[in-house]
Structures are given as C-alpha cells and as structure tokens.
C-alpha cells in the first residue's frame, strides 16, 4: 500500500510520454528502497509486480467522474401551498402566548404542520367520463352551453403535452337576471369536475372578512373562505362561487371585498395571499372562481380580470329540458326508494314549466308531488302544478320572482 501510494505520487509528476527505460529506472529505484517488501521479489521470466502495475496504469484509460444525476422533475399534480419555515416562525412567535385566541391559532398551525406544505391538484375525470359529465350538464343547463364549452376548452389546454389533468380554468362571471340557476349551475359544474365546492353570498356583507378573514383582535375572529378551502382542504384548485358580486363591490373603503379580489384574481399576487387571521402566505393562484351577478355596475378593474358570460333566459324548449332534469333530481335525491312516480314527466306538465323559473321549479314540482301522493297518483296533474305554482307566485304588488309574472 505504501509502495503504491509512493508510486502514484511520483507518476503524477512524470510526463505523459514516459519511455520504457525511464519507467524501468523508477521501478528499480522503488525496488531498491523497499527491498524488504513482499512485492520486491520477481523471477527473470516473470515481470516485476511494479512493472506490471506501471504497464497497467499506462494502458488504463482515465476514470471519468460519474455524471451528476439530473434533478428530479417536480410532480405536476402537486405544488407547495405555503413555506414551512414561515409557518414555523409564526409558531415560535406564539409559543409563549397563553390567551384563548393564540391557542386557536396554534391549533391551526399544528394542523398545517401535520398536513405538510404540499397539496394535490384535483384532476379532471378521464376524457370519456369528462365528456359524458359535461354532456349531461349541458342537458340539464342548456342555457349555459357557452360556459360549458369554454371550460371544456381550458381543461383540454391543461391536459395537453402532460400526464396531468389539473382541473383549472380562468375566473368566470355569470351575469343574468335572478332565477336562471347561476349558483346551481356552478355547484353542478363542480360535481362534474370532481372539484370541492365552496359557496358564499356577498350580498350579505359590505366588508372583505368573508374572503380575507378577521384580525385576531376582533371578537369571534376566524379565517376567511380562502384559508378554509386551501389550508383546511386537500386540493389547490377548489371551485369557489361568490354570489351577488355586483352588490359586494358597490361598497367602498379599504375593507371592500373588491380590494381582496384585486389580489386574488391576479396569479402573481394570488400566490402570496395572506389571510388576516393567520397571515401566512398561501398559494391561491390555482383556485377556480365563478362569480354571479345581475346587471348592476361592476368596476372595470374587476371585470377586466374575469371571463364574462351573459346568460340569457331559457327558451320554452330549454325550460322543458330543465324541468325534466329537476324532476329527475327530485326523484333521486328528495324522495325515498320505492316512490310511485314515473321517471319521465308528462309532456303536458312540462309545458306548464314555461312560466316557472329554474329557481323555484324544484319547490313547485316537490309540492306538486306531495299533492299527487295525497290523491294516490303517480304523476302530478296540471291542477297540482298550478296550485303549487300559485303558492310561490309573488303578490300582485311585488316584484316577480324569476319569470313568473303577476
């Protein structure tokens, strides 16, 4: 071992074109210095071991360092929701606090630490199932066909050139008169795409806390819907539906919901969204948004961030299709197994739906079913429909609901 080490040190200083004589001199010199080493003995017919070592070194190609392995490609079906070091900083800051609110925040931090900083993207169903889901959705909501086509196009874009099928599409605004089924459509779209769904009515508040949460100093403070959907959820791309956007943005001041939306509807700022209750930056840029509104003014700065769809009132033929889908939902979801009702509505009953908005259609048909059961019938009569509709018609001196007129 000593001999080899000594030789290798010497060899490093020798020119590459060593001739055989100079190599022999090196071997002889090393042999003279280490005559007592077992490797110093050799017979005339057998090359000296050190000569063999030198020859091997001359003929052996240089060792090429192993290539550094390429970094692992990030999993396209997940991304980081928050920075764990920043979360730990909040935990350290609150470690000595003993008040009740700090204990609640520490509990949130512990839950986040347990779940980890990564979240999955909800993937759209396989292509064949997705097509079937969207076709069924269009059958139930024929007046939203343009929206369905738009979403389908962006889902195909998300899936191109990759194994991922992240269910993501641009923020959407549905504008229409009341009663056409905007919120119900958003909920059913989430089901078709297998997305978690969160719904908030912005008409009930003039401040942003429903979105951004409360400062912990307020009594009854809690996080907003974004934190709830992302930090407490399992996916980066839930579908959030905010109703009555035009009512919310009418308020002014720094606490207006519009101010929060300016941040959330821009991807580069949404990825650093911070709730006021626990101001940990969260990656909210993958959230799917659907807003609903009537026809009240909305600031251009908000409209420019949204894909706007003007939803027309359903045609008579579309109302009949909607009525049949509502009827199927009632039989499947509201009535017990073994009910006597036929799966298809009578055509004469469907025609009565022309004057009834989708918003109250379910109420009317459910009440009509109750009246039919009272008379041991398997289908409501026209009289039952009219009686049920009169219950939900507005008084003569009030504004009509949906498409019903006094």
């Amino acid at each position: 071992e000593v001999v080899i080490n000594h030789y290798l040190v010497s060899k490093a200083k020798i020119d590459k074109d060593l001739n055989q004589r100079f190599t022999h001199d090196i071997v002889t010199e090393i042999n003279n210095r280490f005559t007592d080493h077992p490797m110093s003995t050799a017979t005339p017919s057998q090359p000296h071991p050190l000569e063999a070592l030198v020859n091997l070194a001359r003929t052996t190609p240089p060792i090429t360092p192993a290539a550094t392995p390429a970094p692992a490609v990030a999993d396209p079906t997940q991304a980081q929701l928050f920075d764990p070091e920043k979360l730990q900083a909040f935990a350290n800051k609150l470690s000595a606090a003993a008040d009740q609110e700090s204990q609640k925040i520490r509990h949130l931090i512990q839950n986040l630490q347990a779940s980890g900083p990564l979240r999955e993207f909800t993937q759209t169903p396989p292509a064949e199932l997705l097509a079937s889901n969207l076709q069924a959705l269009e059958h139930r909501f024929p007046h939203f066909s343009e929206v369905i086509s738009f979403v389908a196009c962006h889902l195909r874009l998300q899936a191109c050139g990759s194994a991922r099928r992240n269910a993501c599409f641009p923020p959407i605004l549905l504008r229409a008169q009341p009663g056409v089924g905007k919120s119900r459509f958003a909920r059913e779209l989430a089901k078709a795409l297998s997305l978690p769904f969160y719904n908030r009515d912005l008409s009930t508040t003039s401040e942003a806390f429903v979105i951004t949460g409360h400062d912990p100093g307020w009594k009854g403070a809690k996080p907003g819907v974004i934190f709830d959907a992302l930090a407490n959820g399992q996916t980066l791309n839930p579908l959030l539906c905010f109703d009555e956007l035009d009512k919310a943005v009418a308020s002014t001041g720094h606490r207006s919901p519009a101010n929060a939306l300016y941040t959330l509807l821009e991807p580069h700022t949404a990825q650093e969204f911070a709730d006021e209750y626990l101001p940990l930056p969260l990656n909210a840029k993958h959230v799917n948004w659907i807003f609903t509104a009537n026809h009240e003014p909305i600031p251009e700065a908000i409209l420019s961030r949204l894909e706007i769809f003007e939803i027309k009132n359903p045609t008579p033929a579309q109302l009949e299709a909607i009525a049949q889908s509502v009827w199927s939902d009632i039989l499947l979801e509201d009535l017990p197994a073994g009910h006597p009702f036929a799966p298809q509505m009578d055509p004469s009953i469907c025609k009565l739906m022309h004057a009834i908005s989708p918003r109250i259609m379910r109420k009317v048909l459910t009440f009509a079913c109750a009246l039919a059961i009272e008379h041991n019938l398997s289908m409501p009569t026209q009289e039952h429909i009219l009686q049920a509709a009169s219950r939900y018609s507005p008084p003569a001196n009030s504004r009509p609901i949906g498409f019903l007129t006094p």
Side-chain angles (χ1 to χ4, degrees), residues 314-349:
T315 65
Q318 288 175 337
L319 282 169
E320 291 184 24
I322 294 169
Q324 181 57 57
S325 72
V326 172
W327 176 259
S328 298
D329 288 345
I330 291 172
L331 302 189
L332 180 64
E333 301 170 7
D334 297 348
L335 299 184
H339 61 75
F341 296 103
Q344 296 293 321
M345 290 181 65
D346 187 279
S348 62
I349 301 300

Side-chain angles (χ1 to χ4, degrees), residues 247-309:
K247 307 295 191 302
V249 297
S251 62
T252 58
H254 73 283
R255 294 290 300 167
S256 169
N259 293 332
L261 295 178
Y262 293 140
T263 297
L264 287 163
L265 295 177
E266 289 289 348
H268 68 281
T269 52
Q271 65 185 359
E272 292 289 327
F273 170 79
D275 190 276
E276 291 194 22
Y277 189 72
L278 175 58
L280 171 71
L282 299 177
N283 181 3
K285 75 174 184 177
H286 304 290
V287 169
N288 293 298
W289 297 95
I290 290 184
F291 298 90
T292 73
N294 300 327
H295 290 94
E296 302 298 328
I298 296 174
E300 182 60 34
I302 295 291
L303 292 178
S304 65
R305 291 165 164 84
L306 303 173
E307 299 288 342
I308 304 170
F309 291 89

Side-chain angles (χ1 to χ4, degrees), residues 5 39 45 79 99 145 181 196 214 217 231 236 258-259 291 313 336 365 402:
N5 288 338
M39 293 182 67
S45 62
D99 60 282
S145 59
H214 295 84
L236 284 162
N259 293 332
F291 298 90
N313 294 342
L365 289 175

Side-chain angles (χ1 to χ4, degrees), residues 10-26:
S10 301
K11 184 177 180 298
K13 301 177 181 179
I14 297 173
D15 193 78
K16 293 182 180 179
D17 59 350
L18 280 172
N19 57 39
Q20 185 64 35
R21 178 179 176 183
F22 193 34
T23 303
H24 179 74
D25 291 342
I26 294 174

Side-chain angles (χ1 to χ4, degrees), residues 147-161:
V147 185
I148 296 170
S149 296
F150 175 83
V151 171
C153 285
H154 280 275
L155 295 178
R156 287 192 292 270
L157 181 63
Q158 285 290 316
C160 72

